[in-house]
């Protein structure tokens, strides 16, 4: 099983689609904080089936001062494979050294452009030079410690402002300290993102990551689990933080109890064929599939809150 473990629900950037960044004011109900060590140990002990951990979701992991501890525990104590994700706006020499020593295998860096002008169109408030400097600092510590990990990948979410830089992005990434680069389609992420999407979408439709109403089946609930900083458990990474979708809390329940919850068992059934049941349960999957049991459910879905028909 893949686990998305959110070390914090905070971020210093204002990315326009994100409910932790530029859309934070529209989500006052989302609890904000950082994961503590007891919660992480609960996750590892109660869900031993997690074999791969993504240490990121809606927040910036490096804002958790214990980020290296979580990585080290996951890799060296619980024997998991791990990936960190970061905007690389916060790093110092001590943290860089500790992250390398932790043994975390991979670092995915959000870098949406090869110039400040293109990068800041989406990563509002971010500094591309700071991202490069911090990446090179991490590489320096990796070399000093004669370590092989973490391997670093720069990821570009393609939009109309940076698509012209696709041909040079791999060279730019490697010159900036990365070991590899990744070019991916832009995802709307939120209802607000859907509304703003046309102002960012690439001219090349293969980078249009919108899936709303196009999904006919989904295997995520059977292969993944997302856990917030406070222990709330979700069927996948997207609804994380919206407690109306929570399937339980790992600090208060066993994972077996959470798996047997009415919401999660219904989500798993629904994701096989998209068959709606009249059970009054609100699930995040309705938005992805574009199907609702009734107008009341559609009205109460946070993913529809700001959409205009």
């Amino acid at each position: 099983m893949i686990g998305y473990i959110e070390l914090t629900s905070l971020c210093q950037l204002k990315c326009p689609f994100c409910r932790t960044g530029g859309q934070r004011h529209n989500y006052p109900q989302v609890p904000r904080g950082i994961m503590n060590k007891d919660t992480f140990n609960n996750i590892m002990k109660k869900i031993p089936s997690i074999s791969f951990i993504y240490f990121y979701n809606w927040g910036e992991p490096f804002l958790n001062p214990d980020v290296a501890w979580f990585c080290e525990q996951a890799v060296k104590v619980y024997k998991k494979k791990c990936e960190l994700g970061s905007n690389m706006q916060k790093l110092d020499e001590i943290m860089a050294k500790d992250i390398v020593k932790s043994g975390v295998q991979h670092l995915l860096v959000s870098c949406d452009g090869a110039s400040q002008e293109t990068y800041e169109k989406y990563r509002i408030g971010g500094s591309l030079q700071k991202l490069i400097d911090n990446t090179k600092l991490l590489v320096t510590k990796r070399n000093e410690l004669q370590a092989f990990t973490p391997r670093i990948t720069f990821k570009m979410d393609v939009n109309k402002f940076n698509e012209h830089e696709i041909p040079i992005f791999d060279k730019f990434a490697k010159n900036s300290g990365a070991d590899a680069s990744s070019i991916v389609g832009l995802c709307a992420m939120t209802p607000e993102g859907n509304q703003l999407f046309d102002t960012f979408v690439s001219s090349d439709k293969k980078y249009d990551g919108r899936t709303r109403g196009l999904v006919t089946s989904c295997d995520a609930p059977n292969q993944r689990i997302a856990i917030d900083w406070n222990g709330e458990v979700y069927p996948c990474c997207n609804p994380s933080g919206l407690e109306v979708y929570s399937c339980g809390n790992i600090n208060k329940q066993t994972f077996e109890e959470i798996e047997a919850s009415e919401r999660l068992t219904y989500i798993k059934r629904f994701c096989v064929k998209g068959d709606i049941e009249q059970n009054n349960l609100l699930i995040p999957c309705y938005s992805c599939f574009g199907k609702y049991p009734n107008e009341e459910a559609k009205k109460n879905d946070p993913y529809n809150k700001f959409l205009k028909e």
Side-chain angles (χ1 to χ4, degrees):
M1 178 182 289
I2 295 172
Y4 288 84
I5 298 179
E6 185 177 64
L7 298 185
T8 177
S9 59
L10 303 170
C11 187
Q12 67 277 67
L13 300 189
K14 302 295 181 183
C15 303
F17 295 0
C18 181
R19 63 173 174 261
T20 303
Q23 296 298 329
R24 181 171 177 172
H25 62 284
N26 283 322
Y27 294 87
Q29 78 275 32
V30 174
R32 308 292 175 181
I34 62 173
M35 181 173 283
N36 62 43
K37 297 175 180 180
D38 288 341
T39 295
F40 180 71
N41 283 324
N42 276 337
I43 296 168
M44 291 293 93
K45 292 174 181 178
K46 292 184 178 182
I47 321 178
S49 58
I50 292 177
S51 58
F52 193 102
I53 297 172
Y54 289 107
F55 274 126
Y56 55 88
N57 198 356
W58 289 88
E60 167 51 47
F62 286 12
L63 293 180
N64 187 318
D66 295 316
V67 57
W69 179 91
F70 288 102
C71 294
E72 184 172 35
Q73 290 293 299
V75 173
K76 297 182 178 179
V77 176
Y78 295 107
K79 310 301 181 184
K80 310 297 183 181
K81 293 182 179 180
C82 304
E83 177 176 286
L84 266 173
S86 177
N87 57 37
M88 289 301 278
Q89 297 298 294
K90 177 181 171 60
L91 191 69
D92 58 32
E93 291 204 14
I94 294 175
M95 182 181 286
K97 182 178 179 180
D98 288 344
I99 286 172
V100 172
K101 291 174 66 176
S102 75
V104 64
Q105 291 94 346
H106 190 232
L107 172 64
L108 187 66
V109 178
S110 297
C111 181
D112 298 335
S115 64
Q116 179 65 28
E117 181 182 7
T118 57
Y119 167 80
E120 68 183 0
K121 289 292 186 180
Y122 189 80
R123 301 289 162 181
I124 296 173
S127 164
L128 183 61
Q129 190 58 54
K130 187 180 291 185
L131 180 154
I132 294 170
D133 291 345
N134 286 339
T135 299
K136 289 183 176 180
L137 172 60
L138 190 64
V139 171
T140 296
K141 295 302 176 185
R142 190 176 70 183
N143 292 339
E144 288 177 357
L145 293 168
Q146 297 182 318
F148 181 72
T149 58
R151 308 308 290 173
I152 303 168
T153 298
F154 277 13
K155 176 175 70 73
M156 176 197 279
D157 289 284
V158 177
N159 59 58
K160 73 177 185 180
F161 302 106
N162 64 20
E163 60 184 328
H164 65 283
E165 293 178 338
I166 291 175
I168 67 169
F169 188 70
D170 184 67
K171 182 177 181 180
F172 161 78
K174 291 173 180 175
N175 286 342
S176 300
D179 302 292
S181 65
S182 175
I183 307 290
V184 301
L186 186 66
C187 177
M189 299 169 62
T190 58
E192 300 85 357
N194 271 291
Q195 289 183 315
L196 294 168
F197 204 86
D198 286 340
T199 65
F200 283 88
V201 66
S202 166
S203 60
D204 189 336
K205 296 306 178 184
K206 74 180 179 181
Y207 296 116
D208 186 336
R210 285 175 288 192
T211 59
R212 184 179 178 81
L214 301 177
V215 176
T216 57
S217 66
C218 179
D219 59 4
N222 289 304
Q223 298 183 1
R224 307 177 186 182
I225 202 75
I227 306 173
D228 280 3
W229 66 273
N230 56 4
E232 293 293 321
V233 177
Y234 297 86
C236 68
C237 56
N238 196 279
S240 178
L242 299 174
E243 291 187 337
V244 294
Y245 296 133
S246 175
C247 297
N249 189 296
I250 202 65
N251 289 324
K252 302 173 183 177
Q253 299 163 271
T254 66
F255 187 56
E256 289 72 23
E257 290 171 333
I258 294 170
E259 280 194 304
S261 68
E262 189 178 10
R263 177 172 282 118
L264 188 52
T265 54
Y266 174 40
I267 285 171
K268 289 181 177 182
R269 292 195 303 271
F270 179 84
C271 284
V272 174
K273 296 181 179 180
D275 291 339
I276 290 174
E277 301 172 13
Q278 300 299 321
N279 54 22
N280 297 318
L281 284 172
L282 185 61
I283 62 174
C285 318
Y286 289 149
S287 178
C288 290
F289 281 71
K291 299 167 65 173
Y292 289 88
N294 51 57
E295 286 301 313
E296 187 66 19
K298 189 173 184 179
K299 178 182 177 182
N300 292 330
D301 186 347
Y303 283 162
N304 274 319
K305 185 176 180 182
F306 303 100
L307 288 180
K308 295 180 181 179
E309 296 297 336

